Amino acid sequence: MRIFTDPAKLSRWTEARRAAGAKIALVPTMGCLHAGHLSLVAEAKRRKAAEIVVSIFVNPVQFGPGEDYERYPRTAKADIAACRKAGATAVFMPAPAAMYPAGHSTYVNEEKLSAGLCGARRPGHFRGVCTVVAKLFHLAHPHFAVFGRKDFQQAAVIKRMARDLDFGVEIVVAPIVREKSGLAMSSRNTYLSPAERESALALSRALEETRAAARAAGAAGIPWAPRRRRIAAALERAGMKTDYIEAVDAETLEPVRTLKPGAAVLLAAFAGGTRLIDNTEI
Ligand code: AMP
């Protein structure tokens, strides 16, 4: 497995591999890798990529003021070992100054799908995500890139960006990997105390209950407003502070008033100081 820190060297290598006919997959991450990330590598393998490039980069541009950029867990050594074991063929771990040299002043903005949900709560977040992913697409020359459904809005925004800007990169979205308890795996789970981890179970429980109720109602679905109140109450009982609870059309991310097939429920809530997100599709 190759390890790149220099963007230009990665670019030269992936370009040569692509010219030689190798199918290239990109798996963008911020590191502190867990089974959720590694499932994306497995998906790339399943799709017969000859080269699987995992990028590990805590992207400063997607963090807002007062967010956890400085304290975000950085576990490079363990991440490299995990990538090797999972079957990645290259890891790209650039320094922030290599990705954003002095004078960097160009950003990519998706203006519709990124407006609500996490975009409304974290101004500038998706601008940072789109910018870094655009750069990674240019540097890794992938045929396809694998993202997790855990970041539901992010996957939609990236798909739109790839289409709108003609990247020619197929966007693959893989299912959410959960702990046995139901908690969606996240690098930020490392922040949780045992009591907060217990509270956080309310997210997946509320989503599972909601999904089951909506599915039981079939094509007609169930009204969202009372469900929303029920989820809010469940999160509050568990000691979580709600950031948002929304039901949207899974394609357009426009709010819906009925939970039926084609809708998705997206949650963001704080367990202590840690902001967690989760979602389910009906
Ligand atoms: P991150 O390192 O948090 O930026 O995540 C990198 C990629 O891994 C994103 O595409 C995430 O959606 C995906 N990912 C993170 N957690 C999970 C999970 N529990 N299941 C599936 N994919 C995940």
Side-chain angles (χ1 to χ4, degrees), residues 27-40 55-58 62-63 72 125 129 146-152 154-155 158 172-179 183-189 277-278:
V27 178
T29 82
M30 298 203 300
C32 190
L33 301 182
H34 50 65
H37 296 115
L38 302 177
S39 76
L40 309 182
S55 64
I56 297 175
F57 181 57
V58 185
Q62 73 187 66
F63 288 78
Y72 196 87
H125 171 66
V129 169
V146 192
F147 293 83
R149 193 162 298 139
K150 159 88 188 337
D151 297 84
F152 193 91
Q154 170 174 278
I158 295 297
V172 174
V173 184
I176 301 177
V177 176
R178 298 180 178 281
E179 294 182 359
L183 180 66
M185 290 194 179
S186 164
S187 306
R188 290 191 169 100
N189 290 350
I277 58 173
D278 201 349

